[in-house]
Amino acid sequence: RKEVEQDPGPFNVPEGATVAFNCTYSNSASQSFFWYRQDCRKEPKLLMSVYSSGNEDGRFTAQLNRASQYISLLIRDSKLSDSATYLCVVNMEYGNKLVFGAGTILRVKS
Amino acid sequence: ETGVTQTPRHLVMGMTNKKSLKCEQHLGHNAMYWYKQSAKKPLELMFVYSLEERVENNSVPSRFSPECPNSSHLFLHLHTLQPEDSALYLCASSQQGSDRGTEAFFGQGTRLTVV
């Protein structure tokens, strides 16, 4: 089983749609979780951290389900500029091993 | 001044060459990472340095040799590479130490082509 697993997509959605991505992780002792965004031929950039209580930043909502070992990202009112690859990241051990999922491709079309 | 700076941005090298990639972070972090991203593949963790000590070596061939002289600088020395080593090499830093760790910040990467 992969340490961090994501549906690669692509998810093709119209502008204004709501889209959700899930990510599962294998290590139940993992402590920190993040969503990153990567544009084509660019470096990954932090989108948001994921907390047990869930967190929201504008159109983006992240949730953590420790019992089922998955995290999710919800994007509401999709914009063309949201088109990118979204990477799920898990800190697998105490502080030292950030593992990236393969990424989910999102394409928002007008 | 960006938080994590990598040089060079692009590098073309022959299989018999020796070159080095450089990374510098200005964020006061205590952990630095090298990742490899090949075309249409996920990020692969290569090396982790925490407090200037290598704490992770993810089965990387010996033709890649990392060096961390201090907490702000990280190098990746390359020699006798193969064409399949062509990829985007990304450096990142983060602040570690508690049981949670923090997010990583990336440099813009070095796009390496081995000919």
Side-chain angles (χ1 to χ4, degrees):
Chain A
R1 183 183 173 186
K2 291 181 183 176
E3 292 179 296
V4 179
E5 203 148 5
Q6 294 182 251
D7 180 346
F11 285 63
N12 295 303
V13 303
E15 273 187 292
T18 295
V19 62
F21 309 136
N22 282 339
C23 164
T24 57
Y25 59 94
S26 61
N27 188 338
S28 60
S30 299
Q31 296 295 316
S32 308
F33 309 88
F34 311 96
W35 282 103
Y36 278 70
R37 168 189 172 135
Q38 187 173 25
D39 293 289
C40 187
R41 301 179 73 83
K42 297 281 185 72
E43 76 276 19
K45 293 187 177 177
L46 179 69
L47 181 65
M48 58 199 307
S49 302
V50 187
Y51 305 121
S52 297
S53 55
N55 51 309
E56 187 173 316
D57 183 3
R59 298 182 292 109
F60 298 84
T61 300
Q63 297 274 353
L64 166 64
N65 185 319
R66 284 192 185 274
S68 301
Q69 293 181 212
Y70 78 84
I71 67 174
S72 64
L73 178 68
L74 182 76
I75 305 175
R76 290 180 296 277
D77 188 23
S78 300
K79 312 290 185 192
L80 293 173
S81 57
D82 294 334
S83 298
T85 298
Y86 289 84
L87 302 166
C88 170
V89 184
V90 177
N91 208 335
M92 301 296 286
E93 297 170 8
Y94 287 105
N96 283 330
K97 188 176 176 184
L98 284 171
V99 178
F100 284 72
T104 298
I105 297 171
L106 172 65
R107 297 184 186 137
V108 181
K109 303 193 174 180
S110 57
Chain B
E1 189 177 65
T2 58
V4 181
T5 305
Q6 286 186 245
T7 55
R9 294 287 307 279
H10 300 273
L11 178 63
V12 179
M13 60 185 288
M15 289 189 284
T16 58
N17 291 160
K18 289 184 180 180
K19 297 286 184 184
S20 295
L21 309 185
K22 179 182 176 182
C23 176
E24 184 174 359
Q25 59 100 358
H26 309 278
L27 301 169
H29 288 161
N30 60 9
M32 296 185 77
Y33 310 77
W34 279 117
Y35 285 88
K36 173 184 177 182
Q37 189 172 38
S38 303
K40 298 186 179 179
K41 287 188 178 180
L43 279 158
E44 300 170 49
L45 179 63
M46 299 176 73
F47 301 105
V48 180
Y49 275 83
S50 179
L51 298 172
E52 300 157 40
E53 284 195 29
R54 192 190 311 179
V55 297
E56 180 89 16
N57 177 344
N58 225 18
S59 302
V60 179
S62 60
R63 57 186 183 270
F64 296 91
S65 175
E67 178 190 0
C68 187
N70 55 61
S71 59
S72 299
H73 293 86
L74 185 65
F75 295 89
L76 188 62
H77 303 298
L78 316 170
H79 65 99
T80 59
L81 294 192
Q82 304 298 311
E84 59 265 29
D85 296 323
S86 299
L88 179 67
Y89 288 85
L90 289 158
C91 172
S93 72
S94 69
Q95 184 63 25
Q96 304 296 349
S98 68
D99 60 352
R100 291 183 60 84
T102 64
E103 64 270 22
F105 293 84
F106 283 84
Q108 291 178 299
T110 295
R111 190 159 296 279
L112 173 68
T113 303
V114 181
V115 297

